[in-house]
């Protein structure tokens, strides 16, 4: 893969699937591991280098045709022999012909058997080839991941409801942030219940907020490749042109299509191209450019490039910014000469938005090129325009992503403390997170001094650098560095720190790190506080979305499990950080989400039922408990109000008691009643005295009934069933029990794992999957919610049978 030799990889995979079942499993496992690296152009080249199953089936037809003709010959020979036997002419010649006929029939039978076995082999090979191509194209793994995220969705709708109620209607920033948080919480789950339940509230979004709200559906339905276009049909431009609806919702729908088909856009690319060509509206062009960039990520398609370039040359600020980013997405990692073209146009235009879009686009073009990109990086970092120097920081970050290169770190630190532009300084510190993403333990140490800088932009950059490189690690060093920044004096620093803390603590439980509970309470306090700054409130709302992303079943992974960089994830995170200037780019963070799942598959790519062990306490890696709804009745006993007249009546009664007690007269009944509280108090006092006296001596034995046993101790391990949620830090604790029918092909039990069946003669029980609904869901609010998405109280059991006696 690193040598960019798809032909050789295709030959190896082809040889493997011609072998036995174990070799085929190995071929599938290699294909799944290649898919995890998300290098789309390479995967498509490998797929196209493999032989076509159609050719195989046609050769199979040729074999079958030969066999059929042989059988016909066989029957004719048999007829000749029969007629010869019945003929009155039983001469030597006729007998000789009959013997020859029998010999020919035997030869034909052996040919038939050989032909049928070879045709069977060919059909098995064709079937395996189809499955292999399905993995390499992404169809199979995306479908399996979609089933997993839908079936295991544990998103907490009560949290979203609380956020919605606490956000002021007039505050459009927080309104949009809630829509973003909902999209991230349900990323890839296809569950859009929150939106359906709050249509009136959602309709308050106008203009670009409407664009973002529509695009959010793309994040929720990401990976729904078969039904993506029909899901978005109500919002899309009709017949490629404008459908007469709002251009904001149409542009958002095109962006959503790109998010649904991100990195796998063969089926949607043509429609997006037509939509781009048939409109002159800059909002629709903006959405179409972003959608095209996502769908054709890294393919370097010339036709798409030319169409996007024509949009750029219209010199429209809104469309031009998206066109610049889209050109970078299209050419990501190619180090194409077109980067020079983009840089030249950035010098010519007067629009800051276009310059910024092109600067980020150029940075994407040199993704992963290291020293090869140094000339272009030097040119950008020496430019007089601070926006191009800003792009130079991202070019350094992406060219040296995950390398921890000393030269790149030194250059970034130099700009972080010396550049005159705050934007450039912020980007330089933030870029350290990308360069060090392969060594997350180093990042807090390197940026610790910068996190205490007098410059708020540098502190913000330090916070995001730690969040990006330590995402999903639960690192205690990262948490201790971010904690003081979450209560910084500057609102946008608090915003960045809250979001970064959420990235670090993704899928971390309170049992493993008590900071998680503290952090959730802090988020709740910020969201509910009406006097909190809008910026930090937005940060808290987005932090909720990141913390519980993908139904609590995904984590941010910038590297695959095999240790290679996930290009789409790094690119998505880099563009996500541009939300500082343009909020709709927040959705790009969904590209860096990866399901934390163990999905075991047999040779038919089906999920067999079996169990394995997580050898650690369940609470360490369990789902967080759902938010408890506010209780209607309070159990706290409030102090009783005492009226002054009652107090005077009690005092009088007490005087009467004292006077009559001294006279020795019996007390009236109403006085006894008034004194009930006093007598109970005196009894309590007596009990206290008794307790005190018995403490020193032997304690008085009291029969308190059977002792309550302490709560059951937590088990030291947990049994999981296929497929299961397995957090990256949990992988080392996964074990297969003795006598387990299935054994994994690879050692690391995570992601997509091919399983060898050790008892192939026994029938296999498969996992029943509840796939997401196809097409547009019905208007019923609960139509798209899986049965286990939210905990529901069990129904009470019916009463026992009884006979009614009047």
């Amino acid at each position: 893969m690193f040598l960019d030799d798809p032909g050789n990889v295709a030959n190896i995979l082809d040889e493997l699937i011609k072998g036995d079942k174990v070799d085929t499993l190995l071929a599938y496992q290699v294909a799944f591991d290649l898919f995890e690296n998300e290098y789309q152009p390479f995967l498509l080249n490998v797929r196209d280098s493999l032989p076509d199953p159609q050719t195989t089936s046609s050769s199979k037809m040729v074999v079958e045709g030969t066999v059929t003709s042989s059988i016909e010959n066989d029957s004719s020979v048999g007829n000749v022999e029969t007629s010869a036997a019945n003929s009155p002419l039983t001469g030597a010649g006729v007998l000789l012909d009959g013997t020859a006929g029998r010999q020919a029939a035997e030869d034909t039978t052996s040919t038939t058997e050989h032909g049928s076995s070879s045709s069977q082999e060919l059909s098995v090979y064709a079937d395996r080839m189809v499955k292999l191509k399905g993995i390499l194209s992404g169809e199979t793994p995306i479908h399996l991941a979609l089933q997993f995220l839908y079936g295991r969705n544990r998103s907490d709708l009560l949290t979203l409801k609380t956020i919605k109620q606490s956000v002021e209607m007039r505050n459009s920033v927080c309104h949009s942030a809630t829509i973003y948080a909902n999209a991230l919480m349900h990323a890839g789950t296809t569950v859009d219940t929150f939106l359906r339940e709050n249509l009136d509230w959602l309709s308050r979004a106008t203009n670009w907020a409407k664009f973002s709200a529509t695009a959010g559906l793309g994040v929720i339905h990401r990976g729904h490749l078969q039904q993506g276009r029909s899901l978005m049909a109500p919002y899309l431009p009709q017949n490629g042109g404008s459908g007469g609806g709002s251009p904001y919702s149409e542009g958002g729908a095109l962006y959503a299509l790109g998010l649904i088909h991100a990195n796998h856009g063969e089926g949607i690319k043509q429609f997006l191209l037509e939509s781009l060509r048939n409109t002159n509206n800059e909002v629709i062009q903006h959405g179409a450019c972003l959608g095209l960039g996502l769908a054709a990520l890294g393919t370097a398609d010339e036709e798409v490039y030319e169409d996007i370039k024509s949009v750029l040359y219209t010199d429209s600020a809104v469309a031009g910014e998206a066109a610049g980013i889209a050109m970078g997405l299209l050419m990501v990692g190619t180090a194409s000469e077109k980067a020079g073209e983009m840089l030249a146009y950035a010098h010519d235009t007067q629009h800051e938005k276009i310059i910024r879009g092109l600067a980020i686009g150029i940075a994407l073009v040199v993704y992963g090129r290291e020293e090869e990109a140094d000339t272009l990086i030097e040119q950008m970092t020496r430019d007089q325009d601070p926006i191009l120097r800003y792009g130079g920081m991202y070019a350094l970050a992406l060219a040296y992503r995950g390398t921890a290169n000393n030269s790149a770190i030194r250059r970034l630190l130099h700009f972080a403390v010396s550049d005159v532009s705050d934007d450039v300084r912020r980007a330089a510190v933030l870029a350290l997170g990308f360069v060090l993403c392969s060594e997350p333990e180093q990042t807090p140490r390197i940026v610790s001094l910068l996190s205490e800088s007098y410059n708020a932009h540098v502190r913000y950059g330090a916070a995001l650098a730690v969040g990006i490189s330590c995402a999903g690690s639960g690192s205690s060093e990262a948490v201790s560095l971010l904690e003081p920044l979450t209560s910084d004096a500057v609102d946008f620093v608090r915003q960045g720190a809250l979001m970064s803390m959420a990235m670090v603590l993704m899928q971390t439980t309170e049992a493993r790190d008590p900071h998680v509970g503290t952090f959730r309470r802090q988020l709740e306090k910020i969201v509910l506080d009406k006097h909190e700054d809008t910026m930090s409130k937005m940060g808290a709302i987005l932090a909720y979305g990141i913390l519980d992303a993908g139904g609590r079943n995904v984590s941010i992974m910038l590297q695959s499990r095999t240790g290679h960089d996930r290009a789409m994830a790094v690119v998505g995170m880099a563009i996500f950080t541009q939300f500082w200037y343009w909020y709709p780019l927040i959705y790009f963070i969904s590209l860096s989400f990866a399901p934390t799942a163990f999905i075991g598959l047999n040779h038919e790519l089906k999920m067999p039922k079996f169990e394995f062990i997580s050898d650690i306490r369940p609470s360490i890696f369990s789902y967080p408990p759902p938010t408890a709804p506010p209780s209607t009745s309070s159990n706290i006993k409030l102090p009783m109000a005492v009226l002054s007249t009652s107090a005077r009546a009690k005092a009088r009664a007490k005087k009467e008691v004292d006077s009559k007690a001294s006279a020795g007269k019996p007390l009236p009944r109403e006085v006894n009643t008034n004194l009930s509280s006093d007598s109970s108090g005196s009894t309590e006092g007596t009990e206290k005295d008794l307790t005190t006296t018995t403490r020193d001596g032997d304690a008085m034995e009291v029969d308190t009934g059977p002792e309550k046993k302490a709560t059951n101790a937590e088990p030291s391990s947990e049994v999981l069933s296929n497929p299961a949620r397995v957090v990256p830090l949990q992988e080392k604790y996964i074990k297969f029990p003795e006598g387990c029918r299935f054994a994994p092909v690879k050692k690391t039990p995570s992601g997509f794992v091919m399983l060898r069946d050790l008892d192939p003669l026994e029938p296999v029980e498969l996992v029943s999957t509840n796939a997401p609904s196809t097409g547009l869901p019905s208007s019923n609010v609960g139509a798209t919610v899986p049965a286990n998405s939210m905990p529901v109280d069990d129904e009470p059991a019916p009463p026992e049978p009884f006979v009614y006696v009047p």
Side-chain angles (χ1 to χ4, degrees):
M1 188 182 79
F2 278 112
L3 296 172
D4 197 23
D5 187 1
N8 213 351
V9 175
N11 292 337
I12 293 167
L13 293 175
D14 191 32
E15 286 300 316
L16 283 170
I17 62 169
K18 285 175 182 171
D20 57 11
K21 276 187 181 177
V22 176
D23 287 346
T24 307
L25 288 175
L26 191 58
Y28 293 161
Q29 188 64 69
V30 170
F32 275 120
D33 290 349
L34 284 171
F35 168 79
E36 278 193 3
N37 296 323
E38 295 181 346
Y39 187 14
Q40 187 186 7
F42 182 80
L43 288 172
L44 294 179
N45 287 336
V46 172
R47 186 196 66 183
D48 296 340
S49 302
L50 288 165
D52 191 355
Q54 298 295 329
T55 315
T56 312
S57 58
S58 64
S59 65
K60 176 183 163 188
M61 291 298 290
V62 170
V63 170
E64 284 178 351
T66 312
V67 172
T68 309
S69 62
S70 302
I71 291 168
E72 286 170 2
N73 292 339
D74 182 13
S75 62
S76 64
V77 168
N79 291 337
V80 167
E81 188 180 351
T82 309
S83 61
N86 296 334
S87 171
L89 298 169
T90 55
V94 176
L95 285 173
L96 183 63
D97 285 346
T99 311
R102 277 193 297 276
Q103 184 62 47
E106 286 170 13
D107 291 346
T108 307
T109 307
S110 64
T111 309
T112 307
E113 288 171 1
H114 178 70
S116 62
S117 65
S118 63
S119 67
Q120 191 178 358
E121 283 174 15
L122 283 169
S123 67
V124 169
Y125 171 76
D127 182 52
R128 289 176 178 178
M129 183 61 76
V130 169
K131 286 186 170 72
L132 184 66
K133 289 194 171 190
I135 297 169
L136 290 169
S137 66
E139 288 173 23
T140 304
I142 287 171
H143 177 66
L144 290 166
L146 193 70
Q147 279 184 345
F148 174 80
L149 291 175
Y150 173 77
R152 301 301 168 104
N153 174 32
R154 292 290 186 283
S155 54
D156 197 341
L157 290 174
L158 201 60
T159 305
L160 280 169
K161 190 179 174 185
T162 308
I163 294 170
K164 182 183 87 75
Q165 288 170 349
S166 62
V167 167
E168 292 178 24
M169 290 298 178
R170 294 187 304 277
N171 193 330
S172 63
V173 173
C174 291
H175 184 278
S176 294
T178 311
I179 296 169
Y180 294 132
N182 169 60
L184 297 179
M185 276 189 193
H186 294 95
T189 63
T190 73
V191 177
D192 52 8
T193 314
F194 177 76
L195 300 178
R196 293 179 181 283
E197 288 178 349
N198 300 285
L199 290 173
D200 291 341
W201 174 83
L202 192 64
S203 64
R204 287 189 171 86
T206 56
N207 299 337
W208 286 105
K210 186 183 282 189
F211 176 94
S212 298
T214 314
L217 290 169
V219 177
I220 293 171
H221 293 281
R222 185 168 167 238
H224 219 163
L225 304 182
Q226 307 302 325
Q227 301 293 328
R229 190 165 162 187
S230 61
L231 283 163
M232 300 308 301
Y235 311 99
L236 287 169
Q238 302 303 313
N239 304 319
S242 178
S246 164
Y248 292 98
S249 59
E250 288 179 8
L254 294 171
Y255 180 21
L257 275 183
L259 289 164
I260 290 171
H261 293 82
N263 211 22
H264 300 93
E266 285 183 302
I268 205 69
K269 187 171 69 177
Q270 202 56 42
F271 174 76
L272 289 169
L273 265 176
E274 286 170 17
S275 300
L276 182 64
R277 288 168 183 162
N278 296 341
T279 184
N280 292 319
N281 186 299
E282 60 179 11
V283 178
I284 298 176
Q285 286 177 335
H286 184 92
C289 283
L290 289 176
L292 265 175
L294 284 162
L297 188 74
T299 56
D301 188 310
E302 280 295 328
E303 183 190 6
V304 177
Y305 179 82
E306 289 302 321
D307 278 335
I308 293 174
K309 189 167 77 171
S310 66
V311 172
L312 177 73
Y313 286 169
T314 59
D315 211 41
S316 158
V318 171
E321 182 183 30
I325 294 171
M327 288 161 88
L329 288 168
L330 189 66
M331 297 288 171
V332 70
T334 58
S336 166
E337 292 176 2
K338 292 182 170 63
E341 245 180 77
M342 293 162 75
L343 188 60
Y345 189 78
H347 282 124
D348 292 342
T349 186
Q350 299 300 309
H351 294 290
E352 280 193 9
K353 286 172 81 70
I354 295 179
I355 299 170
R356 188 173 294 108
L358 286 167
I360 297 301
I362 295 165
L364 294 171
V365 171
V366 297
Y367 173 87
R369 300 307 253 185
E370 300 182 27
E371 285 84 0
E372 196 181 332
D374 278 352
T375 310
L376 187 60
I377 290 168
E378 191 70 20
Q379 193 178 345
M380 290 178 80
T381 53
R382 287 180 181 277
D383 202 285
Q384 286 188 341
D385 189 338
I387 301 175
L388 287 174
R389 293 204 303 278
Y390 172 91
M393 298 305 106
Y394 275 93
L396 255 174
L398 296 177
Y400 289 94
R401 83 283 168 269
T403 58
N405 182 287
N406 281 333
S407 167
I409 293 170
R410 190 170 61 250
R411 278 187 280 176
L412 288 171
L413 288 171
H414 168 71
F415 282 104
V417 296
S418 65
D419 201 278
V420 292
S421 165
D422 282 338
D423 285 355
V424 177
R425 294 179 70 177
R426 184 181 70 247
V429 184
L430 188 149
L432 290 167
F434 290 102
V435 177
L436 292 164
C437 67
S438 58
E439 296 182 17
E441 63 282 350
Q442 299 285 345
T443 314
R445 183 178 59 81
I446 289 175
V447 302
S448 60
L449 286 174
L450 294 170
S451 70
E452 296 168 12
S453 167
Y454 70 92
N455 188 316
H457 290 264
V458 172
R459 296 201 299 277
Y460 175 92
L464 272 186
V466 170
I468 290 163
S469 67
C470 303
S473 67
S475 161
S476 55
E477 291 89 354
V479 170
S480 56
L481 184 141
L482 290 169
E483 240 175 349
L485 293 176
T486 58
S487 51
D488 195 274
V490 181
D491 55 357
F492 66 77
V493 177
R494 293 200 296 278
Q495 182 195 67
L498 291 168
M499 292 167 69
S500 298
M501 185 78 93
M503 290 183 204
V504 173
L505 294 177
M506 279 179 96
Q507 295 193 324
T508 306
T509 58
E510 203 167 347
R512 192 156 65 87
D513 189 346
H515 284 104
V516 177
T518 313
F519 180 58
R520 282 187 182 273
R521 286 188 290 275
Q522 183 183 8
L523 290 180
E524 188 178 9
K525 180 172 174 286
I526 292 170
V527 168
L528 295 174
D529 186 357
K530 293 195 182 298
H531 305 292
E532 186 64 63
D533 292 316
T534 300
M535 283 293 96
S536 49
K537 190 173 273 197
M538 177 192 174
I541 295 168
L542 290 174
Y544 263 126
I546 294 166
L547 203 56
D548 294 337
R552 297 176 169 170
N553 288 305
V554 301
S555 185
I556 291 173
M557 290 188 196
L558 299 187
Q559 291 196 310
S560 66
R561 291 177 176 88
T562 49
H564 304 306
D565 294 309
R566 292 176 64 226
M568 186 169 73
V570 178
V571 165
M573 185 60 80
I575 298 177
F576 159 73
T577 58
Q578 307 309 308
F579 81 89
W580 177 278
Y581 304 101
W582 193 235
Y583 287 158
L585 299 178
I586 285 171
Y587 290 133
F588 271 84
I589 196 174
S590 65
L591 303 187
S592 62
F593 293 161
T596 52
F598 173 102
I599 300 175
L601 301 166
N602 62 11
H603 67 282
E604 292 178 347
L605 300 184
K606 300 276 194 266
M607 290 186 277
K609 270 191 180 179
F610 78 101
E611 294 179 336
F612 53 98
I613 296 166
S614 170
D615 198 14
I616 192 167
R617 287 184 294 126
S619 64
I620 300 295
F621 296 113
S622 63
Y623 288 104
T627 309
S631 56
T632 49
S633 60
S634 175
N635 295 327
I636 303 166
K637 199 169 184 180
L638 298 171
M640 190 184 292
V642 180
L643 297 173
S644 57
T645 52
S646 305
R648 283 199 293 273
K650 265 194 178 181
R652 263 201 316 274
K654 198 165 186 182
K655 275 183 185 175
E656 282 181 34
V657 170
D658 293 342
S659 60
K660 287 186 180 180
S662 57
K665 289 178 183 175
L667 296 174
R669 193 167 65 184
E670 57 271 15
V671 174
N672 271 327
T673 311
N674 286 337
L675 288 176
S676 59
S677 58
D678 292 344
S679 62
S680 64
S682 64
T683 312
E684 283 173 15
T686 317
E687 282 177 4
K688 281 182 184 172
D689 294 341
L690 277 170
T691 314
T692 316
T693 52
T694 52
R695 235 177 236 154
D696 300 326
D698 293 333
M700 187 165 66
E701 289 184 8
V702 182
D703 184 16
T704 57
E707 277 189 18
K708 279 188 179 178
K709 288 186 180 177
T711 52
N712 291 334
E714 190 182 0
S716 59
S717 64
E718 181 183 14
V719 176
L720 302 173
S721 57
N722 181 42
R725 172 187 185 256
V726 175
V727 178
L729 295 170
Q730 190 181 1
E731 288 167 9
K732 57 187 174 187
Y733 300 105
I734 298 299
K735 293 179 180 174
F736 282 74
E738 290 291 326
C740 181
R741 177 175 172 177
F742 297 96
V745 169
K746 67 174 183 177
K747 289 181 181 176
T748 313
S750 61
F752 298 101
V753 180
M754 300 310 301
L755 302 166
R756 281 187 297 118
D757 191 346
L758 304 179
D759 194 2
L761 300 177
E762 287 292 315
V764 178
E765 191 180 358
L766 299 175
V767 175
S768 60
T769 55
N770 51 341
S773 56
T774 56
L776 274 170
S778 66
S779 57
N780 182 7
V781 166
T784 55
V785 187
N788 54 357
S789 65
M790 286 288 288
V792 179
D793 293 335
D794 294 331
E795 285 290 323
E800 294 294 324
F802 61 93
V803 178
Y804 174 68
V805 180

